[in-house]
Amino acid sequence: VREVARRQLSSLFSLQALIRKLFFAPALILIVFFVIFPILQTFYISFFSPSGEFVGLNNYVYVLGQKEIVNVEDVPRGLSQPYGLGALLHNMIWISIHLPLSLFSGLILALILRRVKGASIIKSVVFLGMVTPMIVGGIILRFTFDKNVGIVNGLLRLLGLEYLTRSWMAYPESTLFALIFGSVWLWTGFSMIVYSAGLTTIPEEYYEAAKIDGASPFQMFFRITLPLLKPMTITVVTMTLLWELKIFDIVYAGAGASGGPGGAANVLALQMWNWAFQAFRFNRAATVATILTALTLAVTIWMTRYMVKR
Amino acid sequence: MKVKKSTVMINILAWSIALLWTFPFLGVLMTSIRPYREVLFGWWDFTEFHPSLSNYVEAWNHPHVPLGMGIRNSFLVAIPSTLIPLFVAALAAYGFARFSLPIKNYIFTVIVLMMSVPQQMVAVPLFQILNRFGLVDNYIGLILVHSAWGLAWIILFMRNFFLTLPVEVEEAAKVDGASDFEIFYKIVLPMSFPALASVAVLQFMWVWNDFFLALIVIQGTENLLATQRIPLMRGEFFVDWSVLSAASILVMMVPVLVYALLQKYYIRGMIGWTLKG
């Protein structure tokens, strides 16, 4: 027994074992320095006051009570009150509109394009939004919603809705929605590509068999297509949720560094940056970052648990 | 052969959607090749039409934030930020795929979780670390940060790829006395070209398109990257859409070209990254 233990010990410190550890060393060093340590540090300072006192959850209570984050004082006035509804609620509004819209448009496009000539060209066009730098995406949205040069107002004028025309990014009640609908345009390519890839994995025989059994196209869609696309749906939902929570560039470029007029389109990531690098309130910013990370981790854990179950 | 009516309808529908989808891009493109006074009432107004590239020249040599310089800077950052994590991660991923490690599964969970953490979570300490080493406003600092951030997903992606490679070749080489490292760079890396290409395409685009990390690390006007210059070209009260749209086209041109030329690798990377991850 002692002989076996000795051999194990020596192999652990053998040259080969050492070289094998070197495979991980560069990656480990970079990750520890620039990812793990900063994450822990941010988490840590979110429990301290600027002067270095431990304050427990006080920062969290304080931050969640700030109008920049949650503003429910005058809900009927909604986004047109100063700070809008607060960054946290803006992120939630973003999710509740953008997630279903981009998911379904991507799915519908993927389904339609199976029977279209030149589908790969159309796919490339729709996917262009995913390749565009989001900072440019934000500028394009501002342009598209501009009062004079933008096509949105051009179309409204064409439809005789002259009274609706305006620079959408300049008014608190419309900035957030213009950004959200614009970001559907930018992001739909993602769900389209994932669903398209998913559709090619469904064997044609399933549909033929269903047709012989007299199934209607709707039955085939809900009984065959949709259930078999479930892993793709999970992927799209997860990635889209993470994207919506982390949203930053589009708001910065489209609405401005302070989150649009009166902060009406402010989001968590942007508020974190403003507190950290404009106001130099690091503890407050760290608290926002930790809240944001808690949300993204919840999404990821939900996904991995689903994937493991499968 | 008679074409079904529904097929015709669906083709028309799909192509109209595609046309509608291009409008925002088309608008920016149209505005970028025309003087601003011609598009004051919409880029679709063609009463006067004098296309030229002068907006591009103006954006390239912008008086405050010349975009030409920004594009050069972005390349200086994006190329090393693609190559470094590519090799560092491939090395580690190979280790994960082939060597037995006691805490392997545990590390793996950490990597998956790391992929979902927003950059805001590291911004402040990162700035402080770089500041301590004099790497703020320094490309080396930004390159290291980008490399570290790319590692998590590249390791995951490359490990999944390595697991699909047959072990027999490597075992044969081992019998012939090749070391782990020799096997890795003489046998495994050359076989991994498609996966490495996918990773390179995706990583390059992410670094090129990044704005947040650059915003934190790079501050000197001369050093600003391409994406950082875009919002600075938008005036506070008056927006010269012609120059701004030319600048936008220039900055997005690079990833669009990469995508157009290397679409196969991009899509494969995207699908592999999301579905297997």
Side-chain angles (χ1 to χ4, degrees):
Chain A
V1 176
R2 190 181 290 170
E3 178 61 23
V4 172
R6 203 181 60 81
R7 207 181 299 152
Q8 271 181 351
L9 205 67
S10 72
S11 78
L12 198 65
F13 292 102
S14 74
L15 190 64
Q16 195 202 28
L18 201 71
I19 287 176
R20 289 192 161 184
K21 284 196 191 83
L22 285 180
F23 274 74
F24 301 97
L28 203 64
I29 291 169
L30 278 172
I31 286 178
V32 167
F33 253 90
F34 296 109
V35 185
I36 306 271
F37 171 74
I39 288 174
L40 296 178
Q41 175 81 0
T42 299
F43 184 66
Y44 181 79
I45 65 170
S46 75
F47 297 103
F48 286 82
S49 74
S51 55
E53 265 176 288
F54 180 75
V55 290
L57 289 172
N58 280 3
N59 286 337
Y60 290 84
V61 175
Y62 177 83
V63 156
L64 289 174
Q66 291 305 93
K67 286 184 176 174
E68 285 94 332
I69 302 296
V70 181
N71 189 14
V72 286
E73 211 144 278
D74 192 359
V75 176
R77 264 183 78 204
L79 293 167
S80 51
Q81 59 181 331
Y83 305 112
L85 291 168
L88 180 61
L89 294 181
H90 296 161
N91 273 101
M92 295 304 149
I93 295 172
W94 206 301
I95 288 172
S96 60
I97 299 173
H98 179 266
L99 179 62
L101 276 186
S102 60
L103 187 93
F104 285 118
S105 356
L107 177 59
I108 289 166
L109 277 174
L111 288 168
I112 289 179
L113 290 178
R114 279 187 306 179
R115 296 205 276 145
V116 168
K117 274 217 171 86
S120 62
I121 299 173
I122 300 179
K123 274 185 201 168
S124 298
V125 165
V126 176
F127 200 73
L128 216 53
M130 285 290 298
V131 184
T132 310
M134 282 302 136
I135 203 83
V136 173
I139 294 288
I140 295 180
L141 294 188
R142 198 186 174 93
F143 175 85
T144 306
F145 284 99
D146 185 89
K147 186 170 168 68
N148 298 312
V149 296
I151 188 87
V152 170
N153 290 308
L155 289 175
L156 286 175
R157 244 171 256 135
L158 197 70
L159 295 170
L161 299 168
E162 185 77 39
Y163 66 96
L164 279 177
T165 60
R166 52 160 80 201
S167 281
W168 292 74
M169 300 288 178
Y171 294 88
E173 62 274 22
S174 58
T175 310
L176 183 66
F177 294 111
L179 286 173
I180 294 176
F181 286 108
S183 67
V184 172
W185 167 73
L186 283 166
W187 183 255
T188 294
F190 177 71
S191 75
M192 180 196 69
I193 288 288
V194 175
Y195 277 127
S196 288
L199 284 173
T200 59
T201 64
I202 303 177
E204 198 59 38
E205 293 87 64
Y206 288 12
Y207 294 106
E208 279 159 21
K211 211 176 265 174
I212 291 167
D213 290 346
S216 72
F218 275 100
Q219 279 175 322
M220 283 197 263
F221 176 72
F222 284 107
R223 296 278 167 80
I224 302 173
T225 316
L226 217 50
L228 286 173
L229 286 179
K230 199 170 175 189
M232 286 78 207
T233 306
I234 299 289
T235 306
V236 174
V237 169
T238 309
M239 292 297 159
T240 308
L241 279 172
L242 291 180
W243 190 75
E244 291 154 347
L245 288 168
K246 294 175 179 178
I247 206 100
F248 180 91
D249 305 11
I250 292 185
V251 184
Y252 188 102
S258 56
N266 201 4
V267 286
L268 286 175
L270 191 63
Q271 185 56 48
M272 183 276 162
W273 177 79
N274 270 307
W275 270 339
F277 295 96
Q278 300 298 106
F280 304 108
R281 306 209 183 249
F282 297 131
N283 303 80
R284 223 187 263 186
T287 310
V288 178
T290 308
I291 292 171
L292 184 58
T293 304
L295 294 172
T296 59
L297 285 184
V299 171
T300 312
I301 290 167
W302 168 77
M303 179 200 70
T304 41
R305 282 185 58 181
Y306 173 83
M307 289 291 188
V308 168
K309 231 186 279 170
R310 227 157 39 88
Chain B
M1 206 176 89
K2 223 181 104 191
V3 183
K4 266 208 265 171
K5 209 174 166 189
S6 68
T7 314
V8 176
M9 288 300 285
I10 264 184
N11 272 281
I12 292 173
L13 178 70
W15 280 98
S16 342
I17 293 174
L19 189 69
L20 205 65
W21 220 269
T22 58
F23 272 4
F25 288 124
L26 206 61
V28 173
L29 188 67
M30 279 299 174
T31 308
S32 73
I33 56 168
R34 300 170 68 185
Y36 189 40
R37 58 181 166 75
E38 281 187 14
V39 294
L40 269 178
F41 298 103
W43 52 267
W44 52 89
D45 174 12
F46 287 107
T47 41
E48 261 189 280
F49 185 59
H50 298 100
S52 80
L53 291 178
S54 68
N55 293 325
Y56 286 88
V57 176
E58 218 172 303
W60 191 269
N61 303 314
H62 193 275
H64 307 302
V65 276
L67 194 69
M69 187 87 109
I71 286 184
R72 187 199 71 130
N73 294 347
S74 279
F75 273 114
L76 280 180
V77 170
I79 292 171
S81 302
T82 305
L83 296 179
I84 294 172
L86 191 63
F87 289 106
V88 170
L91 209 56
Y94 183 69
F96 278 123
R98 289 288 186 266
F99 309 156
S100 58
L101 276 181
I103 47 168
K104 206 154 85 168
N105 294 329
Y106 179 71
I107 292 178
F108 234 75
T109 316
V110 172
I111 283 183
V112 171
L113 289 180
M114 248 169 55
M115 282 169 59
S116 65
V117 172
Q119 289 165 336
Q120 281 74 21
M121 191 62 186
V122 297
V124 170
L126 210 54
F127 180 81
Q128 288 165 343
I129 294 172
L130 293 177
N131 200 22
R132 194 171 310 156
F133 292 100
L135 292 175
V136 165
D137 208 13
N138 184 322
Y139 291 151
I140 295 175
L142 186 57
I143 289 167
L144 286 174
V145 173
H146 271 308
S147 302
W149 270 88
L151 284 177
W153 79 268
I154 304 177
I155 290 177
L156 199 61
F157 185 90
M158 289 309 295
R159 184 204 72 136
N160 289 342
F161 176 80
F162 289 145
L163 287 178
T164 65
L165 292 179
V167 202
E168 289 77 24
V169 190
E170 295 163 50
E171 275 168 358
K174 193 167 282 173
V175 173
D176 292 342
S179 73
D180 284 329
F181 192 70
E182 276 173 331
I183 293 173
F184 173 71
Y185 84 95
K186 279 192 186 150
I187 298 172
V188 175
L189 271 194
M191 280 201 291
S192 313
F193 178 76
L196 292 172
S198 288
V199 167
V201 169
L202 279 179
Q203 173 73 2
F204 176 83
M205 276 201 204
W206 278 336
V207 176
W208 184 277
N209 291 356
D210 163 73
F211 175 68
F212 185 73
L213 290 178
L215 185 66
I216 287 170
V217 180
I218 306 298
Q219 293 160 343
T221 316
E222 292 228 316
N223 297 336
L224 295 179
L225 303 191
T227 46
Q228 286 178 283
R229 288 169 193 246
I230 296 282
L232 294 176
M233 285 183 167
R234 191 194 68 205
E236 194 64 43
F237 301 105
F238 171 75
V239 185
D240 184 349
W241 281 112
S242 295
V243 174
L244 190 56
S245 50
S248 299
I249 296 280
L250 283 172
V251 174
M252 70 179 281
M253 190 79 94
V254 174
V256 167
L257 277 179
V258 172
Y259 171 70
L261 297 175
L262 301 165
Q263 196 173 16
K264 187 175 75 175
Y265 296 110
Y266 182 92
I267 297 291
R268 213 180 276 161
M270 197 84 184
I271 301 295
W273 166 62
T274 52
L275 293 192
K276 282 181 194 158

